[in-house]
Amino acid sequence: MNEDFKINVNSLASNDRLLSLIKITAPTISLPLCLVDDNEEFVLGYTTYVPFPFRLKLSDQVEGQLPRANLIIPNGSSQITKWLDSTMGAQNAVLEVVISRRSTRKRDYVAIFEVEKTTVTTDTVTLSLTVQNNLIKRAIRWTYDKFHAPALF
């Protein structure tokens, strides 16, 4: 989703704001890091998202390549530094981006990214993201028999 689109929707319907929710999981941590780009907590399902400022910026798409994005987080919190240390720089981390409305608390849009590279400066932490390539994963094999699909026989 484009940042300009979110700004336009939020200005037209301030009580029905679009929120960006991010859930980051990594193999080296037991609990995911859940952030919402807002000033108060947000609960979606059984997950509580902690308010924290971030910017998700989609890169220009190149034909024949997977879509890319950058997650830019301010480097002012010791929690982010501890999280980066415990995940070894977000190595093998998977990021789930959910766009939701505060009023409905439903998932309007979901995208799953893999962290490709992490860049840390004194001001920001930037995670370079790429969309998960589901085309290289093994397909599920379906079996049709009289027990599972009786209408076919």
Side-chain angles (χ1 to χ4, degrees):
M1 285 222 162
N2 192 337
E3 194 68 29
D4 295 333
F5 174 76
K6 278 180 56 179
I7 290 170
N8 288 337
V9 169
N10 291 342
S11 67
L12 294 174
S14 61
N15 60 344
D16 199 23
R17 295 192 40 188
L18 287 175
L19 299 175
S20 298
L21 310 168
I22 292 181
K23 184 179 193 178
I24 308 173
T25 56
T28 56
I29 57 172
S30 58
L31 293 174
L33 178 67
C34 301
L35 306 174
V36 59
D37 189 21
D38 199 19
N39 56 2
E40 54 187 70
E41 281 187 353
F42 187 78
V43 178
L44 184 66
Y46 296 108
T47 307
T48 301
Y49 291 84
V50 178
F52 199 85
F54 61 83
R55 228 173 71 224
L56 186 66
K57 186 176 177 183
L58 293 173
S59 302
D60 293 333
Q61 292 189 5
V62 178
E63 190 174 333
Q65 290 186 358
L66 292 171
R68 299 184 184 285
N70 288 323
L71 175 65
I72 303 162
I73 303 172
N75 194 8
S77 171
S78 62
Q79 296 167 333
I80 295 297
T81 308
K82 288 178 187 175
W83 180 82
L84 280 171
D85 289 341
S86 64
T87 59
M88 294 177 274
Q91 187 175 6
N92 297 325
V94 175
L95 194 124
E96 179 185 56
V97 178
V98 177
I99 304 297
S100 179
R101 295 180 190 274
R102 181 168 287 289
S103 62
T104 60
R105 296 190 185 268
K106 292 182 182 175
R107 295 171 181 250
D108 292 333
Y109 178 78
V110 178
I112 297 177
F113 293 94
E114 293 176 343
V115 176
E116 199 173 68
K117 181 176 77 169
T118 305
T119 308
V120 180
T121 64
T122 55
D123 298 332
T124 61
V125 174
T126 303
L127 302 177
S128 299
L129 311 170
T130 183
V131 172
Q132 268 188 344
N133 190 356
N134 292 331
L135 297 176
I136 61 171
K137 292 184 177 180
R138 296 177 60 124
I140 299 172
R141 196 161 140 208
W142 293 96
T143 324
Y144 297 103
D145 57 15
K146 290 180 183 177
F147 179 72
H148 290 97
L152 294 177
F153 297 97

